[in-house]
Amino acid sequence: QVQLVESGGGLVQAGGSLRLSCAASGRTFSTYAMAWFRQAPGKEREFVGSITWSGGVTRYGDSVKGRFTISRDNAKSTVYLQMNSLKLEDTAVYYCATHSRPFRVITPQAPSTDLGSWGQGTQVTVSS
């Protein structure tokens, strides 16, 4: 099973930027779509964005479109989330996840059964 480790979270002022990383173990990283989700206290988990195995197609949640960018480096088995123009409402724990099957996309409406491995999460706090 793939293991995922997120990093890069922290405290940032509104309007600032952060870049999250998600490092994966395993030799098949390049065959799996990846996604970022977030969960704020008292709220349901929210789809942030996803990227296909080759990095050719990305999808974003409406609340982050135009501000966040997902990318991946298959040589480093790492997926990134560049977050710009951060808002107070972006405060959450951010998780990366893989699809449970290779060569399958992760859509915003993906059921939990579509998702395989999860990272432990990294806290992002946006202050005013």
Side-chain angles (χ1 to χ4, degrees), residues 10-106:
L11 176 65
V12 62
Q13 286 192 324
S17 298
L18 277 177
R19 189 176 82 153
L20 305 184
S21 299
C22 172
S25 64
R27 295 175 291 179
T28 59
F29 175 79
S30 62
T31 65
Y32 285 84
M34 300 291 296
W36 287 94
F37 292 84
R38 67 186 183 186
Q39 189 163 20
K43 295 189 176 182
E44 293 187 353
R45 186 178 69 198
E46 179 186 7
F47 173 86
V48 174
S50 65
I51 187 167
T52 53
W53 49 94
S54 66
V57 178
T58 54
R59 295 173 172 82
Y60 297 95
D62 289 341
S63 62
V64 306
K65 279 180 183 175
R67 300 188 297 122
F68 290 12
T69 302
I70 295 177
S71 61
R72 66 189 295 161
D73 185 338
N74 285 342
K76 296 182 179 180
S77 296
T78 301
V79 63
Y80 304 98
L81 180 66
Q82 178 66 44
M83 305 185 293
N84 298 329
S85 302
L86 283 161
K87 304 176 180 180
L88 296 179
E89 52 265 40
D90 293 320
T91 295
V93 178
Y94 284 70
Y95 301 89
C96 63
T98 70
H99 199 290
S100 58
R101 298 181 180 183
F103 305 116
R104 300 290 180 99
V105 299
I106 300 175

